Coordinates of all heavy atoms in Angstrom, one line a residue:
G26 N 13.6 -9.6 -22.8 CA 13.4 -11.0 -22.7 C 13.0 -11.5 -21.3 O 13.2 -12.7 -21.0
C27 N 12.3 -10.7 -20.5 CA 11.9 -11.1 -19.2 C 10.5 -11.6 -19.2 O 9.6 -11.2 -20.0 CB 12.0 -9.9 -18.2 SG 13.7 -9.3 -17.9
T28 N 10.2 -12.5 -18.3 CA 8.9 -13.1 -18.1 C 8.4 -13.0 -16.7 O 9.2 -13.2 -15.8 CB 8.9 -14.6 -18.5 OG1 9.3 -14.7 -19.9 CG2 7.5 -15.2 -18.4
S29 N 7.1 -12.6 -16.5 CA 6.5 -12.5 -15.2 C 5.2 -13.3 -15.2 O 4.5 -13.3 -16.2 CB 6.2 -11.0 -14.9 OG 5.3 -10.9 -13.9
I30 N 5.0 -13.8 -14.0 CA 3.7 -14.5 -13.8 C 3.1 -13.9 -12.5 O 2.4 -14.6 -11.7 CB 3.8 -16.0 -13.8 CG1 2.5 -16.7 -13.9 CG2 4.5 -16.5 -12.5 CD1 2.5 -18.2 -14.2
A31 N 3.4 -12.7 -12.2 CA 3.1 -12.0 -10.9 C 1.6 -11.8 -10.7 O 0.8 -11.5 -11.7 CB 3.9 -10.7 -10.8
L32 N 1.2 -11.8 -9.5 CA -0.1 -11.3 -9.0 C 0.2 -10.0 -8.3 O 0.7 -10.0 -7.1 CB -0.7 -12.4 -8.1 CG -0.9 -13.8 -8.7 CD1 -1.4 -14.7 -7.6 CD2 -1.8 -13.8 -9.9
I33 N -0.2 -8.9 -8.9 CA 0.1 -7.6 -8.3 C -1.3 -6.8 -8.0 O -2.0 -6.6 -9.0 CB 1.0 -6.7 -9.2 CG1 2.2 -7.5 -9.6 CG2 1.3 -5.4 -8.6 CD1 3.1 -6.7 -10.6
D34 N -1.5 -6.4 -6.8 CA -2.7 -5.7 -6.4 C -2.3 -4.6 -5.5 O -1.9 -4.9 -4.3 CB -3.7 -6.6 -5.8 CG -5.0 -5.9 -5.5 OD1 -5.2 -4.7 -5.9 OD2 -5.9 -6.5 -4.8
V35 N -2.3 -3.3 -5.9 CA -1.8 -2.2 -5.1 C -3.1 -1.4 -4.8 O -3.9 -1.0 -5.6 CB -0.8 -1.4 -5.9 CG1 -0.3 -0.2 -5.0 CG2 0.4 -2.2 -6.4
T36 N -3.2 -1.0 -3.5 CA -4.3 -0.3 -3.0 C -3.9 1.0 -2.4 O -3.0 1.1 -1.6 CB -5.1 -1.2 -2.0 OG1 -5.5 -2.4 -2.6 CG2 -6.3 -0.4 -1.5
S37 N -4.6 2.1 -2.7 CA -4.5 3.3 -2.0 C -5.5 3.4 -0.8 O -6.7 3.2 -1.0 CB -4.8 4.5 -2.9 OG -5.0 5.7 -2.2
A38 N -5.0 3.7 0.4 CA -5.8 3.7 1.6 C -6.9 4.8 1.4 O -8.0 4.6 2.0 CB -5.0 4.0 2.8
T39 N -6.6 5.9 0.7 CA -7.6 7.0 0.6 C -8.3 7.0 -0.8 O -9.1 7.9 -1.1 CB -6.9 8.3 0.8 OG1 -5.9 8.5 -0.2 CG2 -6.2 8.4 2.2
N40 N -7.9 6.1 -1.6 CA -8.4 6.0 -3.0 C -8.0 7.2 -3.8 O -8.6 7.6 -4.8 CB -9.9 5.9 -3.1 CG -10.4 5.4 -4.4 OD1 -9.8 4.6 -5.1 ND2 -11.6 6.0 -4.8
S41 N -6.9 7.9 -3.5 CA -6.4 9.1 -4.2 C -5.0 9.1 -4.6 O -4.5 10.0 -5.3 CB -6.7 10.3 -3.4 OG -6.0 10.3 -2.2
A42 N -4.2 8.1 -4.1 CA -2.7 8.1 -4.4 C -2.5 7.9 -5.9 O -3.3 7.2 -6.6 CB -2.1 7.0 -3.7
S43 N -1.5 8.5 -6.5 CA -1.0 8.3 -7.8 C 0.1 7.3 -7.9 O 1.1 7.5 -7.3 CB -0.6 9.7 -8.5 OG -1.6 10.6 -8.5
F44 N -0.1 6.2 -8.6 CA 1.0 5.2 -8.7 C 0.8 4.5 -10.0 O -0.3 4.3 -10.6 CB 1.0 4.2 -7.6 CG -0.3 3.5 -7.3 CD1 -0.6 2.4 -8.0 CD2 -1.2 3.9 -6.4 CE1 -1.8 1.7 -7.8 CE2 -2.4 3.3 -6.1 CZ -2.7 2.1 -6.9
G45 N 1.9 3.9 -10.5 CA 1.9 3.1 -11.7 C 2.2 1.7 -11.4 O 3.2 1.4 -10.6
V46 N 1.5 0.8 -11.9 CA 1.7 -0.7 -11.6 C 1.7 -1.4 -13.0 O 0.8 -1.2 -13.8 CB 0.6 -1.2 -10.6 CG1 -0.8 -0.9 -11.1 CG2 0.8 -2.7 -10.4
G47 N 2.7 -2.3 -13.1 CA 2.7 -3.1 -14.4 C 3.3 -4.5 -14.2 O 4.0 -4.8 -13.2
G48 N 2.9 -5.4 -15.1 CA 3.4 -6.8 -15.0 C 4.8 -6.9 -15.1 O 5.4 -7.9 -14.7
I49 N 5.5 -6.0 -15.8 CA 7.0 -6.0 -15.9 C 7.6 -4.8 -15.2 O 8.4 -5.0 -14.3 CB 7.4 -5.9 -17.4 CG1 6.9 -7.2 -18.2 CG2 8.9 -5.8 -17.5 CD1 7.5 -8.5 -17.7
A50 N 7.1 -3.6 -15.5 CA 7.7 -2.4 -14.8 C 6.5 -1.5 -14.4 O 5.6 -1.3 -15.2 CB 8.7 -1.7 -15.7
G51 N 6.7 -0.8 -13.3 CA 5.7 0.2 -12.9 C 5.8 1.4 -13.7 O 4.8 2.0 -14.1
G52 N 7.0 1.9 -14.0 CA 7.3 3.1 -14.8 C 8.4 2.8 -15.8 O 9.3 2.0 -15.5
N53 N 8.4 3.6 -16.9 CA 9.4 3.4 -17.9 C 9.7 4.6 -18.7 O 8.8 5.3 -19.1 CB 8.9 2.3 -18.9 CG 9.9 2.1 -20.1 OD1 11.1 1.9 -19.8 ND2 9.4 2.1 -21.3
R54 N 11.0 4.9 -18.8 CA 11.5 6.0 -19.7 C 12.6 5.4 -20.7 O 13.1 6.2 -21.5 CB 12.2 7.1 -18.9 CG 11.2 7.9 -18.0 CD 11.9 8.9 -17.1 NE 12.7 9.9 -17.8 CZ 12.2 11.1 -17.9 NH1 11.1 11.5 -17.5 NH2 13.0 12.0 -18.6
G55 N 12.8 4.1 -20.6 CA 13.8 3.5 -21.5 C 13.2 2.6 -22.5 O 12.2 2.9 -23.2
T56 N 13.8 1.4 -22.6 CA 13.4 0.4 -23.6 C 13.0 -0.9 -22.9 O 13.7 -1.4 -22.0 CB 14.5 0.1 -24.6 OG1 14.9 1.3 -25.3 CG2 14.2 -1.0 -25.5
I57 N 11.8 -1.4 -23.3 CA 11.4 -2.7 -22.8 C 11.0 -3.5 -24.1 O 10.2 -3.1 -24.9 CB 10.2 -2.6 -21.9 CG1 10.6 -1.8 -20.6 CG2 9.6 -4.0 -21.5 CD1 9.4 -1.6 -19.7
E58 N 11.7 -4.7 -24.3 CA 11.5 -5.4 -25.5 C 11.4 -6.9 -25.2 O 12.1 -7.4 -24.3 CB 12.6 -5.1 -26.5 CG 14.0 -5.4 -26.0 CD 15.0 -5.0 -27.0 OE1 14.6 -4.5 -28.1 OE2 16.2 -5.2 -26.7
G59 N 10.6 -7.6 -25.9 CA 10.5 -9.1 -25.9 C 10.1 -9.6 -24.5 O 10.5 -10.7 -24.1
C60 N 9.3 -8.9 -23.8 CA 8.9 -9.3 -22.4 C 7.5 -9.8 -22.4 O 6.7 -9.5 -23.3 CB 9.0 -8.2 -21.4 SG 10.8 -7.7 -21.1
K61 N 7.2 -10.7 -21.4 CA 5.8 -11.3 -21.4 C 5.3 -11.3 -19.9 O 6.1 -11.7 -19.0 CB 5.9 -12.7 -22.0 CG 4.5 -13.4 -21.9 CD 4.6 -14.8 -22.5 CE 4.8 -14.8 -24.0 NZ 4.7 -16.2 -24.5
H62 N 4.0 -11.0 -19.8 CA 3.3 -11.2 -18.5 C 2.4 -12.4 -18.8 O 1.5 -12.3 -19.6 CB 2.6 -9.9 -18.1 CG 1.9 -10.1 -16.8 ND1 0.6 -9.9 -16.6 CD2 2.4 -10.5 -15.6 CE1 0.3 -10.1 -15.3 NE2 1.3 -10.4 -14.7
M63 N 2.6 -13.5 -18.1 CA 2.0 -14.7 -18.4 C 0.5 -14.8 -18.0 O -0.1 -14.0 -17.3 CB 2.7 -15.9 -17.7 CG 4.2 -15.9 -18.1 SD 4.4 -16.5 -19.8 CE 4.0 -18.2 -19.7
K64 N -0.2 -15.9 -18.5 CA -1.6 -16.0 -18.4 C -2.2 -16.0 -17.0 O -3.2 -15.4 -16.8 CB -2.0 -17.3 -19.1 CG -3.5 -17.6 -19.2 CD -3.8 -18.8 -19.9 CE -5.3 -19.1 -20.0 NZ -5.7 -20.3 -20.8
D65 N -1.5 -16.7 -16.1 CA -2.0 -16.7 -14.7 C -1.7 -15.5 -13.9 O -2.0 -15.4 -12.7 CB -1.5 -18.0 -14.0 CG -2.1 -19.3 -14.6 OD1 -3.3 -19.2 -15.2 OD2 -1.5 -20.3 -14.6
G66 N -1.0 -14.5 -14.5 CA -0.7 -13.3 -13.8 C -1.8 -12.3 -13.8 O -2.7 -12.4 -14.6
V67 N -1.9 -11.5 -12.8 CA -2.9 -10.5 -12.6 C -2.3 -9.1 -12.2 O -1.4 -9.1 -11.3 CB -4.0 -10.9 -11.6 CG1 -5.0 -9.8 -11.5 CG2 -4.6 -12.2 -12.0
V68 N -2.7 -8.0 -12.8 CA -2.2 -6.7 -12.5 C -3.4 -5.9 -12.2 O -4.3 -5.7 -13.0 CB -1.4 -6.1 -13.6 CG1 -0.9 -4.7 -13.1 CG2 -0.2 -6.9 -13.9
S69 N -3.5 -5.3 -11.0 CA -4.6 -4.4 -10.6 C -4.1 -3.3 -9.7 O -3.1 -3.5 -9.0 CB -5.8 -5.2 -10.0 OG -5.4 -5.8 -8.8
G70 N -4.8 -2.2 -9.7 CA -4.5 -1.1 -8.8 C -5.8 -0.5 -8.4 O -6.8 -0.3 -9.2
R71 N -5.9 -0.1 -7.1 CA -7.2 0.4 -6.6 C -7.0 1.9 -6.1 O -6.6 2.1 -5.0 CB -7.7 -0.5 -5.4 CG -7.7 -1.9 -5.8 CD -8.3 -2.8 -4.7 NE -8.0 -4.2 -4.9 CZ -8.7 -5.1 -4.3 NH1 -9.7 -4.8 -3.5 NH2 -8.4 -6.4 -4.5
S72 N -7.2 2.8 -7.0 CA -7.1 4.2 -6.7 C -7.7 5.0 -7.9 O -7.4 4.6 -9.0 CB -5.7 4.7 -6.4 OG -5.6 6.1 -6.3
Q73 N -8.3 6.1 -7.6 CA -8.9 6.9 -8.7 C -7.8 7.5 -9.6 O -8.0 8.0 -10.7 CB -9.8 7.9 -8.2 CG -9.2 9.0 -7.3 CD -10.2 9.9 -6.7 OE1 -11.4 9.8 -6.9 NE2 -9.7 10.8 -5.9
N74 N -6.5 7.5 -9.1 CA -5.4 8.1 -9.8 C -4.3 7.0 -10.2 O -3.2 7.4 -10.4 CB -4.7 9.2 -9.0 CG -5.6 10.4 -8.8 OD1 -6.3 10.8 -9.7 ND2 -5.7 10.8 -7.5
A75 N -4.7 5.8 -10.3 CA -3.8 4.7 -10.6 C -3.6 4.5 -12.1 O -4.5 4.8 -12.9 CB -4.3 3.4 -10.0
Y76 N -2.4 4.1 -12.5 CA -2.1 3.7 -13.9 C -1.8 2.2 -13.9 O -0.8 1.8 -13.3 CB -0.8 4.5 -14.3 CG -0.9 6.0 -14.2 CD1 -0.7 6.6 -13.0 CD2 -1.1 6.8 -15.3 CE1 -0.8 8.0 -12.8 CE2 -1.2 8.2 -15.2 CZ -1.0 8.8 -14.0 OH -1.1 10.1 -13.9
V77 N -2.6 1.4 -14.6 CA -2.5 0.0 -14.5 C -2.3 -0.6 -15.9 O -3.2 -0.5 -16.8 CB -3.8 -0.6 -13.9 CG1 -3.7 -2.1 -13.8 CG2 -4.1 0.0 -12.5
G78 N -1.2 -1.3 -16.1 CA -0.9 -1.8 -17.4 C -0.4 -3.3 -17.3 O 0.3 -3.6 -16.3
G79 N -0.7 -4.1 -18.3 CA -0.2 -5.4 -18.3 C 1.3 -5.6 -18.3 O 1.9 -6.5 -17.7
I80 N 2.0 -4.7 -19.0 CA 3.4 -4.6 -19.1 C 4.0 -3.5 -18.3 O 4.9 -3.6 -17.4 CB 3.9 -4.6 -20.5 CG1 3.5 -5.8 -21.3 CG2 5.5 -4.5 -20.6 CD1 4.0 -7.1 -20.8
V81 N 3.5 -2.3 -18.5 CA 4.0 -1.0 -17.9 C 2.8 -0.2 -17.4 O 1.8 0.0 -18.1 CB 4.8 -0.2 -18.9 CG1 5.3 1.1 -18.2 CG2 6.0 -1.0 -19.3
G82 N 3.0 0.4 -16.2 CA 1.9 1.3 -15.7 C 2.0 2.7 -16.4 O 1.0 3.1 -17.1
R83 N 3.1 3.4 -16.3 CA 3.2 4.7 -16.8 C 4.6 4.9 -17.5 O 5.6 4.5 -17.0 CB 3.1 5.7 -15.6 CG 2.9 7.2 -16.0 CD 2.5 8.0 -14.8 NE 2.2 9.4 -15.2 CZ 3.0 10.4 -15.1 NH1 4.2 10.2 -14.6 NH2 2.6 11.6 -15.5
S84 N 4.6 5.4 -18.7 CA 5.8 5.5 -19.5 C 5.9 6.9 -20.2 O 4.8 7.5 -20.6 CB 5.8 4.5 -20.6 OG 7.0 4.4 -21.3
D85 N 7.1 7.5 -20.2 CA 7.2 8.8 -20.9 C 8.6 9.0 -21.4 O 9.4 8.2 -21.4 CB 6.8 9.9 -19.9 CG 7.6 9.9 -18.6 OD1 8.7 9.2 -18.5 OD2 7.2 10.6 -17.6
N86 N 8.7 10.3 -22.0 CA 10.0 10.8 -22.5 C 10.6 9.9 -23.6 O 11.8 9.6 -23.7 CB 11.0 10.8 -21.3 CG 12.2 11.7 -21.6 OD1 12.0 12.8 -22.2 ND2 13.4 11.2 -21.3
G87 N 9.7 9.6 -24.6 CA 10.2 8.9 -25.8 C 10.6 7.5 -25.6 O 11.5 7.0 -26.3
A88 N 10.0 6.8 -24.7 CA 10.3 5.4 -24.4 C 9.9 4.5 -25.5 O 9.1 4.9 -26.4 CB 9.6 5.0 -23.1
N89 N 10.4 3.3 -25.5 CA 10.1 2.3 -26.5 C 9.6 1.0 -25.8 O 10.3 0.5 -24.9 CB 11.3 2.0 -27.4 CG 11.7 3.2 -28.2 OD1 11.1 3.4 -29.3 ND2 12.7 3.9 -27.8
I90 N 8.5 0.4 -26.3 CA 8.1 -0.9 -25.9 C 7.8 -1.7 -27.2 O 7.0 -1.3 -28.0 CB 6.8 -0.8 -25.0 CG1 7.0 0.1 -23.8 CG2 6.3 -2.2 -24.6 CD1 5.8 0.3 -23.0
S91 N 8.5 -2.8 -27.3 CA 8.4 -3.6 -28.5 C 8.4 -5.1 -28.3 O 9.1 -5.5 -27.3 CB 9.5 -3.2 -29.5 OG 10.8 -3.6 -29.0
G92 N 7.7 -5.8 -29.1 CA 7.7 -7.3 -29.0 C 7.2 -7.8 -27.7 O 7.6 -9.0 -27.3
C93 N 6.4 -7.1 -27.0 CA 5.9 -7.6 -25.7 C 4.5 -8.2 -25.7 O 3.7 -7.7 -26.6 CB 5.9 -6.4 -24.6 SG 7.6 -5.9 -24.3
T94 N 4.2 -9.1 -24.8 CA 2.9 -9.7 -24.8 C 2.3 -9.8 -23.4 O 3.1 -10.1 -22.5 CB 3.0 -11.2 -25.3 OG1 3.5 -11.2 -26.7 CG2 1.6 -11.9 -25.3
N95 N 1.1 -9.4 -23.3 CA 0.4 -9.6 -22.0 C -0.7 -10.7 -22.2 O -1.5 -10.6 -23.1 CB -0.3 -8.3 -21.5 CG -1.1 -8.6 -20.3 OD1 -0.6 -9.0 -19.2 ND2 -2.4 -8.4 -20.4
E96 N -0.6 -11.7 -21.3 CA -1.7 -12.7 -21.3 C -2.5 -12.7 -20.0 O -3.5 -13.4 -20.0 CB -1.0 -14.1 -21.5 CG -0.2 -14.2 -22.8 CD 0.4 -15.6 -22.9 OE1 0.5 -16.3 -21.9 OE2 0.9 -15.9 -24.0
G97 N -2.1 -12.0 -19.0 CA -2.8 -12.0 -17.8 C -3.9 -11.0 -17.7 O -4.0 -10.1 -18.5
E98 N -4.8 -11.1 -16.7 CA -5.9 -10.2 -16.5 C -5.3 -8.8 -16.0 O -4.4 -8.8 -15.3 CB -6.9 -10.7 -15.5 CG -7.6 -11.9 -16.0 CD -8.7 -12.3 -15.0 OE1 -9.7 -11.5 -14.9 OE2 -8.6 -13.4 -14.4
V99 N -6.0 -7.8 -16.5 CA -5.6 -6.4 -16.1 C -6.8 -5.7 -15.6 O -7.8 -5.6 -16.2 CB -5.0 -5.6 -17.3 CG1 -4.5 -4.3 -16.8 CG2 -3.8 -6.4 -17.9
G100 N -6.7 -5.2 -14.4 CA -7.7 -4.3 -13.8 C -8.7 -4.9 -12.8 O -8.9 -4.3 -11.8

Side-chain angles (χ1 to χ4, degrees):
C27 293
T28 299
S29 163
I30 196 170
L32 305 175
I33 305 175
D34 183 10
V35 182
T36 302
S37 164
T39 63
N40 196 37
S41 61
S43 296
F44 57 83
V46 55
I49 297 296
N53 177 50
R54 290 170 66 99
T56 297
I57 298 178
E58 58 185 359
C60 294
K61 180 182 288 189
H62 184 234
M63 300 290 285
K64 183 176 180 180
D65 291 332
V67 178
V68 179
S69 63
R71 310 186 195 200
S72 174
Q73 62 187 1
N74 295 314
Y76 304 78
V77 181
I80 299 296
V81 177
R83 192 167 188 260
S84 188
D85 56 14
N86 199 41
N89 293 281
I90 301 174
S91 65
C93 293
T94 300
N95 173 64
E96 298 178 348
E98 291 187 68
V99 182

